[in-house]
Amino acid sequence: MCGIVGAVSQRNIVPILVEGLKRLEYRGYDSCGVAVHQGGALRRARSTSRVAELQAQVDEDGITAGTGIAHTRWATHGAPVVHNAHPHFSAGPKAAADASGLIALVHNGIIENHDELRDELRARGYVFTSQTDTEVIAHLVHQLYEGDLFEAVQRAVLRLKGAYAIAVFCRDEPHRVVGAREGSPMVLGVGTGAHAGENFLASDAMALAGVTDQIVYLEEGDVVDLQIGKTWITARGADGRFQRVERPVRTVQAHTGAAELGPYRHYMQKEIFEQPRAISDTLDAVEGISPELFGDGAYAAFKEVDRVLILACGTSYYAGSTAKYWLESIAGIPTSVEIASEYRYRDSVPDPRTLVVTITQSGETADTLAALKHARSLGMEHTLTICNVGTSAMVRECRFSYITRAGVEIGVASTKAFTTQLVGLYLLTLALAQVRGRLSDEQEAAALKDLRHLPVAVRAVLALEPQVISWSEDFAKKENALFLGRGLHYPVALEGALKLKEISYIHAEAYPAGELKHGPLALVTSAMPVVTVAPNDALLEKLKSNMQEVRARGGELFVFADSDTHIANDTGVHVIRMPEHYGALSPILHVVPLQLLAYHTACARGTDVDKPRNLAKSVTVE
């Protein structure tokens, strides 16, 4: 993984390929490359730097062509070095290492049987120059090639186990690119207007923004043949045979304007400050509480369910953990929250009366998609997703959905996606409460009033930024931090710790404050800052006692406290007062200063805020 762009055209498509990679940079990557069919041979440029450096290479080498593929890589197999960067070539058995090759290929995903295939291909004389599983596919396609690339790719994918999206072209077949997908997303773009006849492949429609808005979403098992003025899609059936299929062409307006930084230093800072707008947009169509907010037929489905199962990863998992408190206290429905990457690998007890809720920013998270399919295989057919991309695989796979309107999130560390997910989950809670007879008209009106006031409340929290900056200067000198929360705000503490470790590389952990004396208190010293989320709720007095446990051990407290909590600044106790207490929706407000703290601490430490090391934005492999 991470990003793929491919094209066939009569014009020079290299600028389109490189610009497509630039549009996918937000996903995170550690190498990049482009390969083209030029002068009857394969040519490529690869870099372990940024796409801008790749652009300079391409310009210097005079690489131009009408057929080509490009890739940004996030390392899985093999270190992020040039010889592991995509595209990979195959020149045939016993070919010289510097041979230009017959086959060029890029790949997102993980091939689980790559060792077995590598041994087989080595026995046939193929020489491997990388540690990647991707090079195995290139050699396999070469070994199966008999003059028809489309046929060779179809035969090759039958041998692959795992997840993949691939784009491949051949020296002997100019103006042809073949793609295939299984478990990793890929779209086909169709040229229009003056450029009708040219066709594109990409891992994300955003890569084709400004090039075409005519998009075909390829489905699991599809193989697609791109030529000038022609596309052909086949799907693999249960018997392993490929049959031609038609996939609908959709008009997709890719988000081109979201990539402008404006007055902000980083995309993460911009996205933190976009949260009032994102929340407002997410609530824009909500005039009242109704199950039909989630799709036609939701009322009947909600009447049939008596429990909720939430599947998610990372930040989305913490959104689901927050929603568990809402769903059980407001809707009165038993709720379990599972880490998607763990759920399908354990024995669980399925219940057909369960509403399976997936949460994902991209809608393409491999672990969450796999967990959803596993839940469905167990007979749980009531499925719903909270997702930020209406055209994603997750939305297509689930019966119901609520599309958040956070807009494109460029920074790897999620911010506005998290808060809009919480808004969608709160609406789901209210809808289920209504169906279960636990939401009166007066309660609905009060909840809607609170939701509509949220953007204003978040703006007031953002005004605390100067105070948070002063804290960040102290945090930047630390190597460890502890985050505490209780009840509904424990998942917020988890999210705050995740943000700090993601972008500042400070080791941070979060605990329910009541768990301090069961182990974590042993870590508390004056060198360990303890961040405390302190709303004025039923657990406040218990939380104050936990804070005293920290002070008694010489720990230094950094407290985000509601204005009426009577927690004062003192020696070893630093307090930032929140503008107002917000009841059940308080987590949405309290997470914002934690985002700011992580952001400004990372800035003070000089890390790459938007592209933290080792991380990718869209995790499309397990």
Side-chain angles (χ1 to χ4, degrees):
M1 58 186 275
C2 223
I4 290 174
V5 191
V8 290
S9 176
Q10 298 284 12
R11 58 173 166 157
N12 176 26
I13 46 77
V14 174
I16 293 173
L17 298 179
V18 175
E19 181 61 28
L21 294 187
K22 289 178 180 177
R23 294 191 183 282
L24 298 178
E25 283 191 288
Y26 75 97
R27 290 181 169 212
Y29 63 102
D30 44 43
S31 64
C32 52
V34 61
V36 301
H37 190 290
Q38 184 177 6
L42 306 186
R43 296 191 66 192
R44 70 180 167 188
R46 297 184 290 180
S47 172
T48 55
S49 186
R50 293 300 177 197
V51 175
E53 198 277 337
L54 178 69
Q55 172 78 72
Q57 274 195 55
V58 165
D59 293 343
E60 182 178 345
D61 294 345
I63 295 177
T64 63
T67 301
I69 54 179
H71 191 263
T72 51
R73 175 179 186 253
W74 186 78
T76 52
H77 295 79
V81 293
V82 170
H83 66 263
N84 286 330
H86 301 207
H88 287 285
F89 285 178
S90 178
K94 304 186 186 304
D98 60 352
S100 67
L102 177 73
I103 301 295
L105 182 143
V106 294
H107 161 232
N108 285 349
I110 291 178
I111 304 304
E112 295 173 358
N113 61 332
H114 67 95
D115 282 334
E116 170 192 333
L117 291 171
R118 182 179 283 104
D119 290 343
E120 176 186 320
L121 289 161
R122 276 181 172 149
R124 292 176 177 270
Y126 285 88
V127 176
F128 286 81
T129 60
S130 78
Q131 289 78 49
T132 67
D133 53 343
T134 301
E135 191 179 7
V136 170
I137 314 173
H139 289 322
L140 179 62
V141 171
H142 184 286
Q143 190 254 319
L144 296 171
Y145 182 70
E146 296 177 345
D148 188 324
L149 183 63
F150 191 52
E151 180 181 329
V153 172
Q154 288 181 117
R155 292 172 63 193
V157 296
L158 293 175
R159 300 289 313 279
L160 304 180
K161 296 178 183 178
Y164 56 81
I166 62 174
V168 54
F169 71 95
C170 176
R171 180 194 64 204
D172 294 347
E173 298 186 65
H175 297 303
R176 191 182 204 185
V177 171
V178 176
R181 68 151 297 193
E182 182 75 49
S184 290
M186 179 168 278
V187 302
L188 160 67
V190 181
T192 61
H195 300 294
E198 62 188 15
N199 291 296
F200 306 91
L201 279 179
S203 51
D204 187 324
M206 185 176 176
L208 304 179
V211 177
T212 180
D213 62 358
Q214 298 301 292
I215 301 296
V216 176
Y217 289 89
L218 301 178
E219 298 187 10
E220 295 288 271
D222 282 358
V223 181
V224 59
D225 184 4
L226 278 67
Q227 299 182 45
I228 294 176
K230 170 189 173 184
T231 61
W232 185 281
I233 303 174
T234 60
R236 185 174 63 206
D239 60 357
R241 296 182 179 180
F242 289 89
Q243 300 290 332
R244 188 180 183 187
V245 294
E246 297 291 335
R247 301 292 185 216
V249 179
R250 307 185 188 191
T251 300
V252 176
Q253 299 297 329
H255 311 277
T256 56
E260 300 300 327
L261 260 178
Y264 300 100
R265 290 178 62 189
H266 300 92
Y267 287 111
M268 182 178 178
Q269 184 186 30
K270 179 188 179 208
E271 288 151 11
I272 290 171
F273 277 83
E274 285 177 338
Q275 287 176 115
R277 191 270 312 154
I279 291 168
S280 179
D281 288 352
T282 297
L283 291 166
D284 185 53
V286 179
E287 297 179 356
I289 301 303
S290 167
E292 307 310 308
L293 288 170
F294 301 89
D296 295 340
Y299 176 81
F302 288 5
K303 288 289 285 186
E304 293 179 10
V305 303
D306 53 24
R307 63 189 312 110
V308 173
L309 168 64
I310 296 175
L311 303 171
C313 301
T315 285
S316 296
Y317 172 76
Y318 297 145
S321 300
T322 304
K324 173 182 172 72
Y325 287 89
W326 289 336
L327 287 160
E328 294 194 339
S329 66
I330 298 172
I333 187 166
T335 301
S336 57
V337 188
E338 296 267 3
I339 295 173
S341 59
E342 292 291 320
Y343 169 68
R344 74 185 181 115
Y345 295 112
R346 70 174 185 83
D347 294 328
S348 57
V349 181
D351 181 349
R353 294 180 63 84
T354 296
L355 177 64
V356 179
V357 177
T358 63
I359 312 170
T360 163
Q361 184 273 328
S362 68
E364 305 289 352
T365 307
D367 288 318
T368 309
L369 281 165
L372 169 68
K373 292 175 183 177
H374 178 65
R376 290 174 60 185
S377 75
L378 297 177
M380 294 184 284
E381 290 296 330
H382 297 303
T383 58
L384 182 152
T385 188
I386 306 292
C387 182
N388 194 42
V389 183
T391 54
S392 64
M394 189 68 75
V395 173
R396 298 195 300 274
E397 291 285 340
C398 286
R399 183 178 175 190
F400 305 108
S401 64
Y402 191 83
I403 309 303
T404 58
R405 295 179 61 187
V408 173
E409 194 175 59
I410 304 294
V412 167
S414 181
T415 52
K416 61 179 179 175
F418 177 74
T419 48
T420 53
Q421 285 171 354
L422 289 177
V423 169
L425 290 162
Y426 194 70
L427 289 170
L428 175 63
T429 298
L430 297 175
L432 285 167
Q434 185 183 76
V435 169
R436 296 167 69 84
R438 294 173 62 99
L439 186 72
S440 67
D441 291 345
E442 293 77 13
Q443 289 170 320
E444 177 182 346
L448 287 170
K449 181 180 178 182
D450 286 344
L451 283 167
R452 294 204 171 101
H453 182 64
L454 259 179
V456 174
V458 172
R459 286 190 192 97
V461 176
L462 289 168
L464 300 173
E465 185 180 33
Q467 297 176 58
V468 176
I469 291 172
S470 68
W471 281 11
S472 69
E473 294 166 0
D474 289 332
F475 271 75
K477 303 169 188 174
K478 308 296 184 181
E479 293 301 328
N480 300 280
L482 194 62
F483 285 68
L484 302 178
R486 296 206 71 150
L488 185 62
H489 294 79
Y490 167 50
V492 172
L494 287 165
E495 173 63 8
L498 177 62
K499 285 292 153 285
L500 189 68
K501 72 181 81 172
E502 277 183 306
I503 61 170
S504 75
Y505 314 146
I506 293 172
H507 173 252
E509 298 294 338
Y511 287 90
E515 282 292 291
L516 269 177
K517 52 188 169 291
H518 296 287
L521 202 55
L523 296 172
V524 173
T525 69
S526 59
M528 170 81 82
V530 180
V531 180
T532 308
V533 182
N536 188 11
D537 61 13
L539 291 169
L540 176 61
E541 294 307 317
K542 297 288 186 184
L543 181 65
K544 287 181 178 179
S545 296
N546 303 139
M547 291 166 58
Q548 288 303 316
E549 294 169 354
V550 171
R551 286 300 301 130
R553 276 77 180 177
E556 193 167 9
L557 287 161
F558 294 82
V559 187
F560 292 104
D562 284 349
S563 57
D564 49 359
T565 53
H566 304 294
I567 299 173
N569 282 290
D570 199 352
T571 303
V573 181
H574 312 276
V575 181
I576 291 179
R577 299 203 178 282
M578 300 289 286
E580 57 184 307
H581 177 58
Y582 220 65
L585 291 170
S586 174
I588 297 175
L589 298 190
H590 270 277
V591 77
V592 174
L594 299 181
Q595 296 168 348
L596 288 169
L597 179 62
Y599 170 73
H600 285 291
T601 301
C603 288
R605 288 169 70 95
T607 64
D608 192 342
V609 172
D610 289 329
K611 302 183 185 75
R613 67 189 182 202
N614 304 331
L615 299 180
K617 182 65 178 175
S618 297
V619 184
T620 54
V621 298
E622 286 193 74

